[in-house]
Amino acid sequence: MSTALRRTIFLVLLLIAWEAGFRIFGWGWRFPSPTQTLQAFYDGIVHGELIQATIASMARLLISFIISLLIGTTLGFLFARYRLLDDTIGFLVVALQTIPSIAWLPFAIIWFGLNESSVIFITTLGATWTMALSSRTGIKNIPPIYLRAAQTMGTGNGFNMFVQVMIPAAFPHLINGVRTAWAFAWRALVAGELIAKGAGLGQLLQDGRNLGDTSLMLCIVIIIAVLGTVSDHFCFKKLEDKVLERYGLAGSKS
């Protein structure tokens, strides 16, 4: 039995159990049935609310995620290469990672206002520190012989060394950092949108709570889960497989 078939059977059984639980235990408005959830999906798509909110959230997420990858990878490289920075700023980054990014939202509102910039700011924070520590670990674990061999062949110690040797050698750690940063960015984004103004999945989730519309709320949760799963499987995993195969590191996959 293929993996796809097993997953399909599991989802069908899950829907049956869900509908049975709704009817047997009488959840009512507290938790919607599959039929009510599908109706909410239909209404949201026909009226455009779900589509508009998804596009707005994805735009904020992609902007924040790209910024966090650039900043995080750069910081990780600096921490791995310079002991002084690692012992000072690197130590601070470890402490900052323990702070939920939503805790910075009051500061973001004071600095930027209750707008899109505040959401992008805390979403970027949600992913940057994880990416910085993952890239630091990956670069630190590169066997020194790789770097010496590259220098012998004239790569030097600058940008060429970073792009041609360090990034591929550290890729297994980097891709794990990217996946984790993506998940953290999603969490920070939705949390920020729950409070900030404007279209977005988080704001639509808040609207559902205010109206007591649990069907709409569950739709938002499902959309976030599906987008996260699809992006991880068809983007990050495919990228990981191709790069590991390209550099002969496929055997190192867990």
Side-chain angles (χ1 to χ4, degrees), residues 103-235:
W104 295 101
L105 184 59
F107 289 98
I109 293 174
I110 293 173
W111 297 336
F112 306 110
L114 194 60
N115 52 36
E116 189 150 327
S117 298
S118 297
V119 178
I120 291 176
F121 174 75
I122 66 166
T123 305
T124 301
L125 284 183
T128 297
W129 311 136
T130 297
M131 196 62 221
L133 295 178
S134 295
S135 58
R136 169 191 175 274
T137 301
I139 293 173
K140 272 185 169 291
N141 286 336
I142 297 175
I145 192 172
Y146 290 0
L147 306 181
R148 290 196 295 267
Q151 290 172 340
T152 301
M153 291 185 287
T155 302
N157 289 314
F159 183 75
N160 289 337
M161 172 71 79
F162 179 67
V163 173
Q164 297 176 9
V165 180
M166 291 184 174
I167 292 295
F171 190 80
H173 286 279
L174 290 178
I175 194 63
N176 286 332
V178 168
R179 285 175 161 180
T180 305
W182 179 255
F184 281 11
W186 260 117
R187 296 171 188 175
L189 173 72
V190 175
E193 287 181 342
L194 281 170
I195 301 173
K197 298 178 180 179
L201 293 173
Q203 187 59 50
L204 200 57
L205 184 65
Q206 178 73 355
D207 293 341
R209 186 194 71 84
N210 293 336
L211 297 173
D213 189 348
T214 55
S215 299
L216 176 60
M217 294 164 58
L218 187 58
C219 283
I220 304 302
V221 173
I222 292 174
I223 289 174
I224 294 171
V226 170
L227 289 176
T229 302
V230 169
S231 59
D232 182 80
H233 184 76
F234 291 101
C235 182

Side-chain angles (χ1 to χ4, degrees), residues 32-59:
S33 68
T35 304
Q36 292 171 335
T37 305
L38 288 174
Q39 183 64 46
F41 265 116
Y42 176 79
D43 294 339
I45 292 174
V46 169
H47 297 148
E49 293 178 343
L50 287 178
I51 296 175
Q52 181 183 3
T54 301
I55 292 174
S57 291
M58 287 301 297

